[in-house]
Every structure is written in C-alpha cells, then in structure tokens.
Amino acid sequence: KQEVTQIPAALSVPEGENLVLNCSFTDSAIYNLQWFRQDPGKGLTSLLLIQSSQREQTSGRLNASLDKSSGRSTLYIAASQPGDSATYLCAANNTDKLIFGTGTRLQVFP
Amino acid sequence: SAVISQKPSRDICQRGTSLTIQCQVDSQVTMMFWYRQQPGQSLTLIATANQGSEATYESGFVIDKFPISRPNLTFSTLTVSNMSPEDSSIYLCSVEGVEGDYGYTFGSGTRLTVV
C-alpha cells in the first residue's frame, strides 16, 4: 500500500529565501508524481507533473525532482514571495489513483 | 488541461439532511474521482466514477452514505447522505488529464459544514 509523507509539516520563512519541500513515497512503482498548491479552504492547483521516466520538471521559480529508486521527490522554490504562502501537496500516482501526502504548510512573510 | 466547474462552493447543512455536489467538466473524460479533505488533513479518495457503471468505492466509504451518479462523460454528482458533524469537510472532484497530459485537475471544492 502506497504511503506518502511530506517534510516539513510547516515552514515559515522571510521573503527571498530559497526553499526545499520534501516528499517521500514507499512504493516506487509509480506512473508519475504531481505537486499541487492549495490555498486555505480552496481546491487544488497543479504546479508540476513528473513522469516516472523523468528526473525533474521546471516551471518559473519552481523545480521538482524525482528519484524513484529512493522514493523521493523535492520541490524547490526559488526567491520565495508572500504570494507563495499556501499548503503544498505531493501526490503519487499508482494504478490510476492519486495518493496524497500530508502536506507542507508554507508561510512567507515580508 | 480540463476545466472543472464544481458547485456549490460551500454550504451549511442541518444534521440528518443530504447534500448533492455537482461537477461539470469541459471535455469528455472516462473517469471522475471524488475526494474528501477533513479539517487539517490531506485528501482521501472516496470513489471512482465511470460513465455507465457503478462507482468503485475505497475502503471505508459506502454507496449508501455517498451515492454517486455519472450520467455522461462530462458530469458527475456526489451526495453526502444523512449528514452528521463528522461529515464537515471539503469535497473535491477530479479528472485525469487528456490529450497526453496525464496530470490530474481538481475542481474548486465544496466546503461543507454540518451543524
């Protein structure tokens, strides 16, 4: 059974810092891994999707990497801004089901 | 990627009543997924809905409590039946990507409070 864990659970940083959010999964037989952002009380916004054959994906200030053999993915946020404040969720896709991590709640203060 | 319209966005309901949540997708999709997010928790899959067949429920979720309809390839409803305060959650629908984009897209969510 796939289990997904995210570290840290919460993070509070000053504006401008570079951040690394971690995601671990127990079953490496994934199709892909997806990172989402969720604002309080809202739905999910997809940030990056990494296929199982890929090592990383980039979008603007965001970079996500995937190491299937070690069961890890990281989301790197460069030059953080207050608008980045949200909960970040990773989800592993096994057998056409998304298994979500526990989330990292990020606060970036001016 | 697909665009999903989900409604209502929020509701406050009396215990013992039922609420039906609707999701409309702007393209035809084979499978639609329904998730629950309890306060302070991550998302848990409730069921997978295929058009023309009964939904497949995950462990811990039953059809009598969460009946699902999937009348066509662009629409689905989830009903939360006989509600109790423990059902207070955000409910979200989701579809897998189309045209080679295999990422999942989510609706904006329904924030349900049961009093």
Side-chain angles (χ1 to χ4, degrees):
Chain A
K1 178 186 174 185
Q2 178 73 279
E3 293 183 3
V4 182
T5 306
Q6 291 183 245
I7 295 173
L11 190 58
S12 182
V13 299
E15 181 177 10
E17 281 206 3
N18 300 323
L19 309 172
V20 176
L21 308 183
N22 297 292
C23 172
S24 300
F25 48 94
T26 56
D27 183 353
S28 63
I30 60 172
Y31 297 148
N32 52 54
L33 187 135
Q34 197 166 355
W35 283 91
F36 295 90
R37 167 186 172 138
Q38 185 177 31
D39 292 289
K42 303 294 185 182
L44 275 64
T45 300
S46 179
L47 298 174
L48 288 165
L49 170 71
I50 312 176
Q51 300 290 357
S52 62
S53 59
Q54 297 174 325
R55 298 283 291 182
E56 66 178 315
Q57 282 287 331
T58 299
S59 176
R61 293 183 295 108
L62 304 179
N63 175 277
S65 66
L66 175 64
D67 184 343
K68 277 183 56 178
S69 60
S70 66
R72 293 183 187 177
S73 178
T74 60
L75 178 66
Y76 177 81
I77 303 175
S80 58
Q81 303 170 358
D84 295 330
S85 299
T87 296
Y88 291 80
L89 295 161
C90 68
N93 184 351
N94 284 83
T95 61
D96 290 327
K97 291 181 185 179
L98 282 186
I99 306 299
F100 279 86
T102 46
T104 293
R105 191 170 64 253
L106 172 65
Q107 182 179 10
V108 181
F109 53 90
Chain B
S1 59
V3 176
I4 303 174
S5 298
Q6 182 174 345
K7 57 182 181 181
S9 59
R10 59 174 57 213
D11 207 341
I12 301 174
C13 300
Q14 297 290 324
R15 69 173 67 202
T17 63
S18 298
L19 175 71
T20 295
I21 302 167
Q22 300 180 2
C23 273
Q24 178 76 51
V25 189
D26 69 345
S27 55
Q28 294 185 339
V29 293
T30 303
M31 293 189 290
M32 294 183 71
F33 306 87
W34 287 97
Y35 287 83
R36 179 177 73 181
Q37 186 178 31
Q38 295 177 298
Q41 305 293 316
S42 192
L43 279 74
T44 302
L45 181 63
I46 298 172
T48 302
N50 288 321
Q51 190 265 338
S53 63
E54 278 199 5
T56 302
Y57 288 82
E58 297 298 306
S59 175
F61 297 96
V62 295
I63 187 171
D64 289 346
K65 177 66 176 177
F66 298 102
I68 288 172
S69 77
R70 184 80 202 276
N72 56 53
L73 292 173
T74 62
F75 187 79
S76 180
T77 67
L78 169 76
T79 299
V80 186
S81 303
N82 188 25
M83 290 183 286
S84 67
E86 291 71 34
D87 294 319
S88 297
S89 297
I90 298 175
Y91 293 86
L92 301 107
C93 61
S94 175
V95 300
E96 193 174 11
V98 296
E99 297 178 358
D101 169 15
Y102 297 105
Y104 286 75
T105 301
F106 282 76
S108 54
T110 296
R111 187 166 202 164
L112 170 63
T113 302
V114 183
V115 297

